[in-house]
Amino acid sequence: MKLLKQLCSIHAPSGNEKNMTDFLLNYIEKHKVQWKVQPIILNNEDFQDCILLVFGKPRTVVFAHMDSIGFTVRYGKQLVRIGGPAVKDGYKLTGSDNQGEIKCTLKYNEDEEELQYDYHREIERGTELVFESDFRETDETVQSCYLDNRLGVWAALKLAETLEDGIIAFSCWEEHGGGSVAYLAKYIYEQYQVRQALIADITWVTEGVKPGKGVVISMRDSLIPRRSYVQKIISIAKESGVPYQLEVEGAGGSDAKELQKGAQPWDWCFVGAPEDNVHTPDEIVNKKDISSMVKLYQVLMEKL
């Protein structure tokens, strides 16, 4: 879990993913020699801060978003949300501006719905603040801010170790409306004729999805994927023997939104571990679900 701990501590809120991009490029360069197949690494101005890893003759792409939720400093002591972070008086926040490193506290007035920070000086406007990293591990669980989606990124890096044919796409902006998957999907479709996707992201523990019972295959959220594709994934999961759960929700979304609303005929399915304490500094995931997530991705990328 050392790598996951590192990933969870990197400052990379939506729109400012460069720290994560640089970390991943360095990690990939250092470790790819140990991987089964050496990928083509694509990261240039056409992809902004996104990264594509192309292995062998790809048939399927895995999308994993790199960004996190957080806050932007407005004027005075005011804060504006990046994405949908939970807000609670006393949450510890970190960041930096031209005057140095910042460790401050979230101040939330529920009656007035005012969001502010508590710090000994005024922080420069436009500064991004994120939850302070406090990574906790037990025999059964990992707990930290930003397991959504640093755990998805971690799973994709584990998949890269054995992947022979496929594409891994590390995307940006997912937590704050998306924007990168549209051009990544267009490029992948046109250059490699790939049009089936898996979304490596983190979902919720609910009354129907329990921690420790396996990775989640989502049959729908606020959008509905093509049923025949989802059924194919469920069939592969059933044959594999990897523990999994089926999810049916009426809300929520992921990088898949841009695939479904795009101009190319993409099939997609969300496959990810469930977490509790969503979008807080205390997100928690069962290690059994992490293990089954990696195993199922390995099987799906081979069979699809």
Side-chain angles (χ1 to χ4, degrees), residues 79-247:
L79 292 175
V80 182
R81 288 178 176 88
I82 297 171
V87 291
K88 184 179 177 183
D89 204 54
Y91 277 164
K92 293 177 181 177
L93 306 176
T94 63
S96 64
D97 62 11
N98 290 321
Q99 298 180 59
E101 295 294 315
I102 298 160
K103 288 193 175 186
C104 61
T105 306
L106 182 68
K107 303 295 287 183
Y108 179 54
N109 184 325
E110 198 167 347
D111 295 332
E112 301 291 330
E113 291 192 355
E114 282 182 346
L115 211 52
Q116 298 186 322
Y117 63 85
D118 183 22
Y119 197 49
H120 65 82
R121 64 171 171 86
E122 192 168 303
I123 299 172
E124 293 173 11
R125 64 179 62 175
T127 299
E128 296 133 337
L129 300 173
V130 298
F131 294 137
E132 185 177 55
S133 183
D134 178 18
F135 193 89
R136 291 145 281 175
E137 181 182 359
T138 70
D139 290 342
E140 294 184 349
T141 63
V142 288
Q143 187 166 21
S144 174
C145 59
Y146 304 138
L147 291 175
D148 175 7
N149 185 40
R150 305 300 158 74
L151 182 51
V153 171
W154 179 90
L157 291 173
K158 290 294 159 188
L159 172 66
E161 294 174 4
T162 57
L163 186 60
E164 294 185 51
D165 299 299
I167 297 173
I168 296 174
F170 295 108
S171 64
C172 298
W173 283 308
E174 191 272 350
E175 295 288 5
H176 201 82
S180 67
V181 167
Y183 59 75
L184 294 177
K186 182 176 186 291
Y187 179 87
I188 292 166
Y189 180 78
E190 291 176 352
Q191 296 297 317
Y192 297 99
Q193 292 74 56
V194 171
R195 62 184 191 184
Q196 54 186 14
L198 299 169
I199 311 300
D201 204 341
I202 304 304
T203 189
W204 316 320
V205 169
T206 62
E207 70 274 17
V209 171
K210 306 298 184 185
K213 298 296 185 183
V215 63
V216 172
I217 300 170
S218 183
M219 299 186 75
R220 62 154 294 170
D221 47 36
S222 61
L223 295 180
I224 299 176
R226 192 159 70 124
R227 186 60 176 257
S228 59
Y229 182 66
V230 176
Q231 287 300 145
K232 188 188 296 184
I233 286 167
I234 294 170
S235 296
I236 293 170
K238 196 174 290 185
E239 287 175 15
S240 74
V242 175
Y244 71 93
Q245 307 176 71
L246 297 180
E247 174 187 82

Side-chain angles (χ1 to χ4, degrees), residues 254-273:
S254 64
D255 275 336
K257 285 186 174 183
E258 291 178 85
L259 295 176
Q260 182 142 342
K261 295 180 179 181
Q264 301 85 29
W266 280 91
D267 276 321
W268 60 271
C269 185
F270 183 110
V271 180

